[in-house]
Every structure is written in C-alpha cells, then in structure tokens.
Amino acid sequence: MFAAPKKGKEALPGDIAPIGRHSSLGESAYATLKDSLIRGALQPGTKLTLRSVAQVLEVSTTPARDAITRLIGEGGLINAGPKTVIVPYLSLPDLDELTAIRLSLEGLAAEQATNHMTESDIHELETLQERINRGLDEARYTDVLDANKDFHFLIYRRSGMRRLVTIIESLWLRMGPAFNGLYPEFAQSRTGVSNHLWALRGLQDRDPAAVRAAIENDIRGGYRRLSSQLAAVGEQHGESNA
Amino acid sequence: MFAAPKKGKEALPGDIAPIGRHSSLGESAYATLKDSLIRGALQPGTKLTLRSVAQVLEVSTTPARDAITRLIGEGGLINAGPKTVIVPYLSLPDLDELTAIRLSLEGLAAEQATNHMTESDIHELETLQERINRGLDEARYTDVLDANKDFHFLIYRRSGMRRLVTIIESLWLRMGPAFNGLYPEFAQSRTGVSNHLWALRGLQDRDPAAVRAAIENDIRGGYRRLSSQLAAVGEQHGESNA
DNA sequence: TTTTGAAATTTGATGCAACAAAAAAATTAG
DNA sequence: CTAATTTTTTTGTTGCATCAAATTTCAAAA
C-alpha cells in the first residue's frame, strides 16, 4: 500500500539535525494568518474567502487554501456555512472550556519549565516585564499584549515539550480575536503584573508549584476580565463554535 | 482587507444548528488517513507520498494534499525530509511528553464527564467493557484496542468540551502507530481492566476525583508497557519528532 | 565490496480553469 | 415598506499540468 520504512543503517548525521525547515507559500500563509489571529487583528465574524486571502497574501489560491484549511482544523477559523469561513466568536461556554484547558496545559508547561530556566532566560523575562510596565504607562497596549505573549511563551518553551507548546498556541489562537477592540479595557488592568512577578520569584526559587500557581492566577485573572466583557457585549452569538 | 462581520439581525436558526458537516473529498481523505493512524494500521517510518495516498484513496492529489497537510499540522505525520513525509516514530521523550499531556487532559475530561453521564451511557460503557473482556479471551486484539478507544472517548465526549476531545484525539493519533506490530504484547495485559472497573464505579458514584484517578492509572499503565517495549526495540530512532 | 557521481525518475509546490453550489443583489409582488 | 422570488455574482472543490528540487538508480571507479 505505502512504502515500507527504511530498514537500512539509518545514517544519523552525528549530533546536529534538529532541522525541519519547511518554507513554502502555504506554510508562510498559514503563519501569517495565524499571527493575525493571535494578535487579535481580525475581528470575530470577519469573513475570509479563499480568493481574498490569496490576494491579501499575494499568493495563489492553493497556498491560501492550505492556510485556511489548517486554521479551521485548529479551531482558529470556523465554517459558518457551506461556503463561509469566519473568525469565530468566543462564547462564554467556549471561554470556559478554553480556560479549563489552559489552566491544565499552561500550568503543566510552567511547572516543567521551572527547572530548565537559565539565568539569562530569567533576565529576558525581566526585560519583557519592563516592556509591559512601560507599555502600560505609555498606553501602548499592543506592545503590552505582545510582550505578555512573549513572556508566557518564553516560559512555556522552556518546558522542552514542543507539542505542548503547539497546543497552547492553538488555544491562544482561539483567544486572540476576542481581544479585538478591547485593547485598552483589557490591557489597562495591572492585575497581571503581580502574577508575573510571583512567577519570576518562583522561577528564581526553582519552585514549580509556585510558578504554576502564578501562571494559573494570571489565566484566571484574564478569564475574569474577558468573561465580564463577553457577558456585557456578546450575547448575540449564543452558540458555541468550538 | 477582509469582509467585516455582519451587523444585521443575525438570524439564529432557532435552536437547531450544531451543524458543521463538511463533506468533501479532502475531508474524508483526512478522516480515513487519521483513522488508519489511530488504529495503528500504519507502521512508523512508512513513507507517504502525495500520489500514493491519492491513488489508494482514489482521489486526485488535491484532496490527498489536504489530508496530509492537516495531519502534519497535528503531528500525526512528519516531514522527514524536504520531500518525504513519514509516519513518525515514537521516541521515549515523545512518549513522556505525550503521557504528561494525556494525564492532564484526559484526567480533566474524565473529571468533567462524571456528572454528565447518564444511566444509558454507563450501560454502554459496561457493554464495551464486556467486548474488551471477550476480546482478551478470544485473542481478538484489534477488537480490544477498538473497544478500549470507544470506552475512553465515550467518557471524554461527555465532558461536553469539544475542543478538548479534539486535542485528545490528536494525542491518540500520535500513539497509534507505536502499537503497530505490538497488538498481542500490548493488549494481552489485563492491567487495564481493573482501571476501567474503577472508572465505572467512580462514574456510578459521581465521584470525579475517583474517575480521574482511574483514567490516570490506566494511562500510566499503558505508559509502562509501551515504554519498556520502546526501550527494548526502538533505540535506533533517537531524535524526537514532536 | 564500497564509494562515488551522474543520469533518470519521482516528488511536492503552485497556479489555474471548470463546475456546481451557495450567497448576494436585484426585482417583483403583496 | 416588507417579503418572496429571480437573476447575478461569488465561492469552495477538484483535477491537472508544469517546474524545480530532491530522491533513487545504476554503473563506473577505487
């Protein structure tokens, strides 16, 4: 049926080869769209068509199709009809589910990362935190959200668990659009700052449970703010699009 | 850039509409391949080419491409070279990571499902368990694995968390090929049976923690058996392909 | 036998056109 | 003005051809 695995001597190229580069138009189209989604650049309900994506990304329909198909698979886009894909709305049940998964997975990642963090990692986190603080002071909310994302994922990546990080990304992908138009309201709050500081302290102390708790707290704080926003604004989209 | 969301009256189709059916050749090609992977029908290392998949599935290259691309995104297939996609080997580090995630997520799903299970659900679980027992007696190992999968996912689905179930599926997708050629060795063990019984008891008692513990135990048991098999056979594929 | 290297073959990526289906717009009827 | 109906436009799907790049084959050289 399919080609059987190579049985040969399996010449391992020594110790290098964590490769995997895979640049193609489809790949970068996917990456670009995904980034837009995570950043909240696309409003929920925005309709994406094959040809419009192709045009914006300056590629043909084939790579655009690749990107859209993959994103639908991850839940970053959904089919709102046989020929209509849109950026999904985040309903309260959706947010509940996402949050529960995030608590599990980001908590796990944070825990696992704790004993892998280097001094320079921690220093980098502190730099990111400064950028967050400065962003809050100067009302540069996009910067705040970006730096916040970097802060979290720097930690998660140090878990050494690649698939885990990928899954967490797909969760953030789902949250992103909900922030659209909410930057000030959302980023203004400084509740997250103290959670980050607790996380930093836990990392320095090599205390996995403390780091996990800090991250979980951060997620819960975000949940509170987002859910009240959703309750206030988003009743018209009752159904879950998970 | 893209079409803005409809502002109109948003005619909700009443109460029905959990729809989302999306039958297309690409979709079914994806489903078919995915199923083959989960069932362990494909040996790790098996090379898949666009055209061979297209031929086997009796479709053109386009739907085959869809399926392969999506599966790569989920980690069910990997790029072993610029023009080579294979069924991934499961290294011990990979198994460790998968297991950690499974414990988190399947534990969560089991917990959440506990209070949603109906009498008839539980009855169905008992039926499945009988099929597992019979399969063990009669050495019908494929049946055992199938029924085992149904047992777990019936529970998980009752969590009501769709995205969670999808993610868990992608984890099983990654485990499937590792069972290839190991059916007897793996399914022979009856360790799983008592875990399932504990899970059933927990469900009847509406004890989420007990159900979670039973499922976690089941996962750990599988981990032990698989990891020793991997350690014995699979040294030649050192690198992680997560 | 092993190694090397070049030729032949196969591969994935990409663009594109045709088609049926669906959505949107325009029109008509009430 | 609203609602139904028809017309027009747009959409995703699918198959396929092309092309550069990578793989495989195979024979010559060591």
Side-chain angles (χ1 to χ4, degrees), chain B residues 39 140-150 172 179 183 186-187:
Chain B
R39 295 190 168 206
R140 302 165 56 84
Y141 302 123
T142 300
D143 276 13
V144 173
L145 291 182
D146 275 1
N148 181 62
K149 184 200 162 193
D150 290 343
W172 283 59
F179 292 117
Y183 289 140
F186 193 83

Side-chain angles (χ1 to χ4, degrees), chain B residues 52-108:
Chain B
S52 68
V53 171
Q55 189 176 23
V56 169
L57 269 42
E58 295 184 285
V59 294
S60 80
T61 57
T62 306
R65 179 179 174 55
D66 279 351
I68 294 178
T69 303
R70 285 178 66 178
L71 255 357
I72 291 178
E74 288 184 62
L77 296 174
I78 61 164
N79 275 103
K83 296 208 173 181
T84 325
V85 309
I86 64 170
V87 177
Y89 291 94
L90 191 65
S91 69
L92 198 53
D94 285 341
L95 178 61
D96 286 343
E97 172 170 357
L98 276 179
T99 302
I101 303 176
R102 288 187 59 199
L103 287 170
S104 282
L105 258 28
E106 296 180 37
L108 171 64

Side-chain angles (χ1 to χ4, degrees), chain B residues 163-206:
Chain B
R163 171 80 14 207
L164 178 58
V165 174
T166 301
I167 296 174
I168 294 175
E169 262 186 4
S170 79
L171 302 173
W172 283 59
L173 176 65
R174 196 71 186 63
M175 309 272 308
F179 292 117
N180 188 288
L182 293 185
Y183 289 140
E185 291 85 342
F186 193 83
Q188 233 161 38
S189 161
R190 289 187 183 256
T191 3
V193 174
S194 77
N195 289 320
H196 284 199
L197 295 183
W198 279 104
L200 272 168
R201 183 173 311 186
L203 288 170
Q204 284 165 326
D205 297 347
R206 306 274 174 199

Side-chain angles (χ1 to χ4, degrees), chain A residues 141-220:
Chain A
Y141 302 122
T142 300
D143 275 13
V144 174
L145 290 182
D146 276 1
N148 181 62
K149 183 199 163 193
D150 290 343
F151 185 96
H152 280 259
F153 278 89
L154 172 53
I155 297 177
Y156 301 154
R157 237 175 296 131
R158 287 298 173 275
S159 69
M161 301 168 84
R162 293 202 234 176
R163 170 90 2 216
L164 179 58
V165 175
T166 301
I167 297 174
I168 295 174
E169 263 187 3
S170 79
L171 302 173
W172 283 59
L173 175 65
R174 194 73 186 61
M175 310 272 307
F179 292 118
N180 187 290
L182 294 185
Y183 290 140
E185 291 86 342
F186 193 82
Q188 232 160 38
S189 159
R190 290 188 182 253
T191 3
V193 174
S194 76
N195 289 320
H196 283 199
L197 295 183
W198 279 104
L200 271 170
R201 184 173 312 186
L203 288 170
Q204 283 165 327
D205 296 347
R206 304 276 174 197
D207 182 345
V211 178
R212 173 171 203 135
I215 293 297
E216 287 190 351
N217 251 325
D218 201 43
I219 294 173
R220 288 205 186 85

Side-chain angles (χ1 to χ4, degrees), chain A residues 22 24-26 47 51 59-63 82-84:
Chain A
H22 192 46
S24 69
L25 294 185
K47 183 178 172 184
R51 288 163 175 89
V59 294
S60 81
T61 58
T62 306
K83 296 209 174 181
T84 325

Side-chain angles (χ1 to χ4, degrees), chain B residues 16-81:
Chain B
I16 48 166
I19 41 88
R21 294 313 109 249
H22 193 42
S23 73
S24 69
L25 294 186
E27 190 72 19
S28 41
Y30 164 75
T32 304
L33 255 192
K34 181 177 177 180
D35 187 62
S36 298
L37 253 4
I38 291 185
R39 295 190 168 206
L42 266 32
Q43 193 181 1
T46 302
K47 183 177 171 184
L48 301 194
T49 66
L50 245 191
R51 287 163 177 88
S52 68
V53 171
Q55 189 176 23
V56 169
L57 269 42
E58 295 184 285
V59 294
S60 80
T61 57
T62 306
R65 179 179 174 55
D66 279 351
I68 294 178
T69 303
R70 285 178 66 178
L71 255 357
I72 291 178
E74 288 184 62
L77 296 174
I78 61 164
N79 275 103

